[in-house]
């Protein structure tokens, strides 16, 4: 149902209040008339069986005076007492459920009796009408009731006149306060308090006028008490509406203290007026009627009906606002924090069923009130109000601590710009601190709520079970703090070592072993700490961890048998990393057909990229031997072959000169570490003399230096006429007995393109000369 949009005013409130006053006067008159049958009835004497005669009393006196008779009476009484004790011992002990059922049964019986009395009073309606007729016909009674009515009207007229006069006087200050409230946001709260005080001035005038008129009109006795009740009820209702008008301000949105829309403010105003008028006026009217002669059972029944009416109104209000309040509980998606997102499922569920819980609370509250549970209604109301105050204070404290911690750990903008990663590193555990503070506030909130509902939480902590729980919480907290400190120290040290920079701000490149082993050690420490802390926490919570350890051992054994290759890879990789055999960037040969540049090393595999660009991922278990071609420095091996006729010393000198020229070069010079290392004439081959030498270079630079050296050596050998032999083929035709080679017989064909004899235009004479020369 859509909330009403009416904008209430003062005249509507006064009209409603006057209606309630007239209704009260009529109710008092009816109650007074209804009291005649009750007053006319005489008390019913007790049954004859319950009346003690004089003869019975005389026999009792004679028994007490006779010693033997008195002794027999005492023995009989002791026997009856013993039988009663045995009977009580045989009965089962009374449980809490039995006591609750007994109380409910008694209260239901009392309520049924009240209904029966009300029905009985309704059956006496003809007698009441007859008494009313006699009262009207009796001039004395008629004058008495007319006087009571006129006195009440006089009190109301005097109070209302004083109220109107005060409102006229306070109209200008009220408008001035409203205008200032809309202009100044900083003074809104003080001006709101001043606005409430201004609205209370007419109520004070009404009360003073009513009290002053009562002695003048000679209002005394029960009539004076009833008039005071009426005045108190009216002042309470008007006071509540004055506070609601300042908070909601349905007519002026600028001075509204509660951040709601105009429609919602008008809707809440209407419901505050309804609930306050029905509850306060109804209660005081019933109490005043009881003072004027309404029978107690009828008054109790009217109060229960009033409670039922208020409960139904609250249920209607809850059902009308179930969607709006549900959306408020769920929250806006763009305003949810990380913790809100974690609890969003719970908030969504609560937003779906909050109205069911609220209706159930109202029904239970009305049940406690209707069944007249001794002190139950007051206890529930007091506990509810205290719970609301405790929760509100807890929310305020949590929000204040959140802002305080955030401000204390904030990093200034200049430092944040200079060190972009500083804020993330310094506030790494800030969410953990926020969570710890929220848990701390939640713990005290729960203890306070338990105390509000009659459960002594602090006393529960003082019991042996509570002491063990507190000890476990303290131990777990200490273990978590120590583990967190150790982890932070180790992790920070590793990150600082791996991310260290030099004086120029350049990152210091660490070895592959450090880049691999240190993160691995950090992860291993994390796993170890998680396992140890988990075991300690479980042990402190009273859980036997021996079966867990046994099960972990069995699982570890099974995994070890099933993952032998994996374990072998890890162990072999660990030893290779510990020995620092290879590093990322090295060129290696694994001896199993895999060679190339090392791109990555893990605890289980090594990743290579060969000269063709192919990536090889090789597990350490398949590595037989490792040949590192670029460890600390490299050599380029020269095996220079020259003809047998060349002078080897001259060739060596030429080679040394070439390398010296390269060492003076700006590009090649930094890559060469030492002069040419000549090892001498190494061997003789079929067509060349092999001279061996080595060039020492930086790691991985030997191939570039060797290619440049070969280029320069070829050019220099060509300039100096140094022959680099290559394979020759000699055609042998045999020889005659005189040692002369027989003539070679050649067949010449005409070239179809050139039109000449011989290959490619070569003349016959030149070919013959060439053949003769070759022979």
């Amino acid at each position: 149902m859509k909330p009403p949009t009416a904008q209430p005013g003062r005249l509507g409130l006064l009209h409603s209040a006057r209606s309630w006053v007239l209704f009260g006067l009529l109710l008092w008159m009816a109650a007074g008339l209804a009291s005649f049958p009750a007053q006319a009835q005489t008390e019913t004497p007790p049954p004859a069986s319950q009346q003690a005669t004089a003869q019975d009393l005389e026999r009792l006196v004679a028994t007490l005076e006779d010693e033997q008779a008195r002794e027999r009476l005492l023995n009989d009484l002791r026997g009856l007492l013993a039988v009663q004790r045995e009977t009580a011992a045989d009965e089962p002990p009374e449980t809490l459920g039995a006591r609750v059922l007994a109380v409910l049964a008694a209260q239901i019986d009392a309520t049924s009796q009240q209904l029966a009395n009300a029905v009985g009073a309704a059956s006496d309606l003809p007698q009441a009408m007859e008494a009313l007729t006699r009262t009207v016909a009796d001039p004395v009674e008629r004058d008495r009731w007319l006087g009571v009515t006129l006195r009440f009207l006089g009190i109301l007229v005097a109070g209302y006149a004083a109220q109107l006069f005060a409102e006229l006087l306070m109209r200008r200050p009220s408008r001035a306060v409203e205008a200032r409230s809309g202009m100044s946001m900083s003074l809104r709260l003080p001006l709101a308090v001043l606005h409430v005080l201004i609205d209370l001035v007419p109520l004070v005038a009404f009360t003073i006028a009513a009290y002053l008129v009562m002695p003048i009109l000679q209002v005394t006795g029960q009539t004076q008490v009833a008039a005071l009740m009426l005045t108190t009820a009216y002042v309470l209702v008007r006071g509540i509406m004055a506070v609601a008008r300042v908070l909601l301000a349905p007519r002026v949105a600028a001075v509204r203290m509660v951040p709601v829309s105009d429609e919602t403010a008008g809707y809440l105003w209407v419901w505050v007026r309804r609930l306050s008028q029905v509850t306060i006026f109804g209660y005081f009217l019933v109490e005043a009627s009881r003072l004027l002669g309404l029978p107690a059972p009828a008054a109790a029944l009217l109060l229960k009906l009033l409670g039922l009416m208020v409960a139904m109104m609250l249920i209607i209000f809850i059902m009308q606002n179930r969607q709006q309040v549900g959306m408020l509980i769920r929250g806006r998606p763009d305003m949810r924090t990380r913790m809100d997102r974690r609890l969003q499922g719970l908030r969504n569920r609560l937003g779906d069923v909050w109205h069911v819980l609220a209706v159930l609370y109202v029904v239970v509250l009305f049940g406690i009130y209707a069944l007249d549970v001794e002190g139950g209604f007051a206890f529930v109301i007091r506990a509810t109000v205290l719970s609301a105050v405790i929760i509100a204070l807890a929310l305020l404290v949590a929000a204040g601590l959140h802002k305080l911690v955030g401000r204390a750990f904030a990093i200034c903008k200049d430092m944040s710009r200079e060190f972009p990663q500083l804020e993330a590193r310094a506030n790494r555990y800030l969410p953990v601190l926020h969570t710890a503070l929220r848990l701390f506030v939640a713990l005290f909130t729960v203890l306070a709520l338990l105390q509000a509902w009659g459960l002594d939480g602090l006393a529960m902590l003082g019991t042996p079970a509570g002491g063990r729980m507190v000890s476990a919480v303290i131990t777990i907290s200490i273990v978590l703090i120590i583990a967190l400190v150790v982890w932070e120290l180790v992790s920070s040290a590793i990150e600082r070592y791996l991310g260290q920079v030099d004086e120029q701000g350049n990152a210091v490149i660490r070895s592959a072993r450090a880049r691999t082993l240190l993160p691995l050690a950090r992860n291993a420490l994390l796993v170890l700490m998680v396992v140890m802390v988990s075991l300690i926490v479980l042990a402190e919570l009273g859980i036997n961890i021996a079966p867990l350890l046994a099960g972990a051992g069995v699982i570890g054994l099974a995994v070890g048998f099933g993952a032998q290759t994996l374990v072998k890879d890890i162990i072999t990789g660990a030893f290779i990393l510990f020995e620092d055999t290879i590093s990322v960037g090295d060129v290696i040969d694994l001896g199993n057909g895999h060679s190339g540049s090392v791109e990555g090393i893990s605890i289980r595999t090594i990743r290579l990229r060969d000269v063709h660009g192919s990536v090889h991922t090789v597990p350490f278990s398949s590595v037989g031997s490792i040949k590192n071609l670029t460890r600390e420095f490299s050599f380029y091996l020269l095996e220079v072959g020259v003809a047998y006729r060349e002078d080897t010393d001259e060739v060596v000198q030429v080679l040394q000169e070439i390398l010296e020229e390269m060492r003076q070069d700006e590009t090649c010079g930094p890559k060469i570490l030492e002069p040419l290392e000549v090892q001498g004439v190494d061997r003789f081959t079929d067509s060349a003399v092999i001279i061996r030498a080595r060039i020492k270079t930086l790691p991985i630079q030997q191939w570039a230096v060797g290619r440049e050296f070969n280029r320069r050596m070829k050019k220099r050998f060509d300039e100096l006429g140094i022959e680099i032999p290559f394979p020759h083929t000699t055609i042998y035709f045999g020889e005659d007995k005189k040692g002369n080679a027989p003539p070679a017989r050649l067949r010449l064909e005409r070239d179809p393109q050139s039109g000449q004899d011989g290959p490619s235009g070569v003349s016959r004479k030149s070919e013959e000369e060439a053949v003769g020369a070759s022979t």
Side-chain angles (χ1 to χ4, degrees), residues 513-536:
R513 179 175 63 173
R515 295 196 303 268
T516 304
L517 290 180
L518 290 180
L520 178 64
R522 181 175 58 184
N523 295 334
L525 177 64
L526 177 62
V527 173
L528 178 63
M529 292 179 61
V530 168
V531 173
M532 295 298 296
V533 171
S534 300
L535 293 176
I536 293 174

Side-chain angles (χ1 to χ4, degrees), residues 434-449:
H434 284 309
T435 303
L437 291 177
R438 279 194 293 265
L439 292 176
F440 185 75
V441 174
L443 176 62
F444 276 90
T445 303
V446 170
L447 292 176
L449 290 176

Side-chain angles (χ1 to χ4, degrees), residues 598-619:
V598 179
E599 288 193 345
I601 304 174
S602 66
I603 193 62
R604 193 184 68 87
T605 61
I606 180 172
R607 188 172 67 253
L608 306 176
R609 187 180 294 274
D610 61 16
V611 69
H612 302 289
S614 302
V615 177
H616 304 255
T617 301
V618 184

Side-chain angles (χ1 to χ4, degrees), residues 39-258:
Q39 296 173 358
Q41 293 176 357
T42 59
E43 294 184 358
T44 304
S49 59
Q50 297 180 2
Q51 296 180 358
T53 62
Q55 296 178 357
D56 295 333
L57 295 177
E58 290 177 357
R59 285 196 297 268
L60 178 60
V61 172
T63 302
L64 294 176
E65 292 176 351
D66 188 357
E67 184 176 356
Q68 295 182 356
R70 186 173 65 252
E71 188 66 26
R72 286 195 301 270
L73 178 60
L74 293 176
N75 292 332
D76 294 338
L77 293 176
R78 292 190 185 97
L80 292 174
L81 184 60
V83 172
Q84 187 175 5
R85 289 177 178 175
E86 293 178 358
T87 305
D90 294 338
E91 294 179 356
E94 187 178 6
T95 60
L96 177 62
R99 290 197 298 268
V100 172
L101 292 177
V103 171
L104 291 178
Q107 297 300 330
I108 292 174
D109 291 340
T111 304
S112 302
Q113 186 64 33
Q114 291 175 0
L115 292 175
N117 294 336
V119 173
S123 63
D124 294 337
L125 186 60
Q127 299 178 6
M129 294 302 297
E130 183 179 355
L132 177 61
T133 303
R134 289 196 304 268
T135 301
V136 174
D138 189 358
V140 178
E141 291 293 332
R142 185 170 62 249
D143 293 340
R144 184 174 70 85
W145 280 103
L146 181 60
V148 171
T149 304
L150 292 177
R151 291 186 182 94
F152 278 127
L153 290 177
I155 294 172
L156 292 177
V157 170
Y160 185 60
Q163 177 182 331
L164 288 179
F165 181 72
E167 287 181 351
L168 290 176
L169 294 178
M170 294 292 107
R171 182 171 299 175
R172 181 173 296 178
S174 178
R175 292 178 179 176
V177 170
E178 289 182 357
R180 287 180 173 267
S181 299
M183 293 185 297
S184 178
M185 297 296 296
S186 60
L187 298 177
R188 175 170 290 188
L189 182 59
L191 292 176
V193 175
L194 181 60
H195 203 293
V196 172
L197 296 177
I198 292 174
D199 286 344
L200 291 180
V201 171
L203 297 181
V204 175
F206 178 90
T207 305
I208 294 174
Y211 273 85
L212 292 177
V213 169
M214 286 183 189
I216 297 174
L217 298 178
Q218 297 180 355
V219 179
T220 59
Q222 299 295 338
T223 305
Q224 183 181 9
V225 176
L228 292 176
M229 286 186 175
L230 173 63
T231 305
T232 304
Y234 183 73
V235 170
L236 287 177
V237 172
R238 282 302 306 270
I240 293 174
M241 298 310 299
V243 176
R245 189 165 73 90
V246 173
L247 295 177
L248 298 175
R251 294 179 301 171
V252 185
V255 299
R256 186 174 300 144
M257 300 294 296
V258 181

Side-chain angles (χ1 to χ4, degrees), residues 396-470:
L396 291 177
V397 171
L401 290 177
H402 184 82
K403 292 183 179 180
L404 182 62
V405 172
R407 185 173 300 177
F409 284 81
I411 305 297
C412 62
K413 295 182 179 179
D414 296 337
M415 188 174 294
S416 180
R417 285 194 298 266
E418 185 177 358
F419 305 101
Q421 304 297 328
L422 178 61
E423 185 173 4
R425 184 174 180 179
N427 298 337
R428 180 182 302 173
Y429 293 101
L430 188 59
V432 178
L433 180 59
H434 284 309
T435 303
L437 291 177
R438 279 194 293 265
L439 292 176
F440 185 75
V441 174
L443 176 62
F444 276 90
T445 303
V446 170
L447 292 176
L449 290 176
L450 292 176
Q451 201 74 22
W453 287 94
L455 300 175
D456 195 353
L458 297 178
M460 294 172 58
L461 295 178
T463 61
R468 289 193 298 270
M469 183 179 67
V470 172

Side-chain angles (χ1 to χ4, degrees), residues 523-752:
N523 295 334
L525 177 64
L526 177 62
V527 173
L528 178 63
M529 292 179 61
V530 168
V531 173
M532 295 298 296
V533 171
S534 300
L535 293 176
I536 293 174
V537 170
L538 292 176
E540 288 296 328
L541 293 177
I543 300 176
N544 188 9
I545 63 174
L548 296 178
L549 295 176
V554 173
I555 294 175
L557 186 61
V559 171
F561 278 111
Q564 295 183 18
T565 303
L566 177 62
V567 174
K568 183 179 179 182
D569 291 338
I570 294 175
I571 294 176
T572 305
F575 277 104
I576 290 176
L577 292 174
F578 288 151
E579 295 170 358
D580 198 15
T581 305
I582 57 177
S583 301
V584 175
D586 290 348
V587 178
I588 62 174
D589 185 358
L590 299 180
N592 54 2
H594 300 286
S595 62
S597 175
V598 179
E599 288 193 345
I601 304 174
S602 66
I603 193 62
R604 193 184 68 87
T605 61
I606 180 172
R607 188 172 67 253
L608 306 176
R609 187 180 294 274
D610 61 16
V611 69
H612 302 289
S614 302
V615 177
H616 304 255
T617 301
V618 184
F620 282 116
S621 59
S622 63
V623 176
S625 61
I626 299 176
K627 183 190 297 184
N628 195 332
L629 306 179
T630 57
R631 189 65 174 180
E632 297 181 0
F633 57 88
S634 299
F635 279 108
Y636 185 78
L637 183 63
L638 294 173
E639 290 185 345
V640 181
V642 296
Y644 278 91
R645 63 181 177 86
E646 303 293 342
D647 185 0
T648 57
D649 295 336
E650 180 184 359
V651 173
V652 169
Q653 184 179 0
V654 172
L655 296 178
Q656 291 176 344
E657 292 175 356
I658 295 174
L659 188 62
E660 289 299 324
E661 293 177 359
M662 292 181 62
R663 294 185 66 184
Q664 302 301 322
D665 187 79
E666 296 180 357
T667 304
C668 299
K671 302 177 182 178
I672 302 173
L673 300 179
E674 295 179 0
L676 182 66
E677 179 185 351
V678 179
Q679 297 179 350
V681 178
D682 184 64
R683 64 186 180 276
F684 298 96
T685 61
D686 294 338
S687 59
V689 177
I690 305 300
I691 302 174
R692 174 177 287 184
R694 293 193 307 179
I695 304 174
K696 189 175 183 180
T697 66
L698 294 174
I700 315 178
Q701 301 298 326
Q702 68 268 34
W703 294 288
V705 173
R707 294 187 188 99
E708 179 64 20
F709 185 89
N710 290 334
R711 185 183 71 83
R712 297 191 181 201
M713 182 182 65
K714 174 66 170 60
K715 295 180 66 176
R716 181 66 59 85
F717 281 8
D718 291 342
E719 294 175 0
L720 300 176
I722 299 175
E723 180 182 0
I724 300 177
F726 55 89
H728 291 72
T729 301
T730 302
I731 301 175
Y732 177 69
F733 293 96
E735 61 183 12
D736 55 13
K737 292 181 178 181
K738 295 180 179 182
N740 298 322
R745 298 182 180 276
L746 301 177
R747 182 180 178 180
L748 300 179
E749 296 182 353
R750 183 180 296 275
D751 187 358

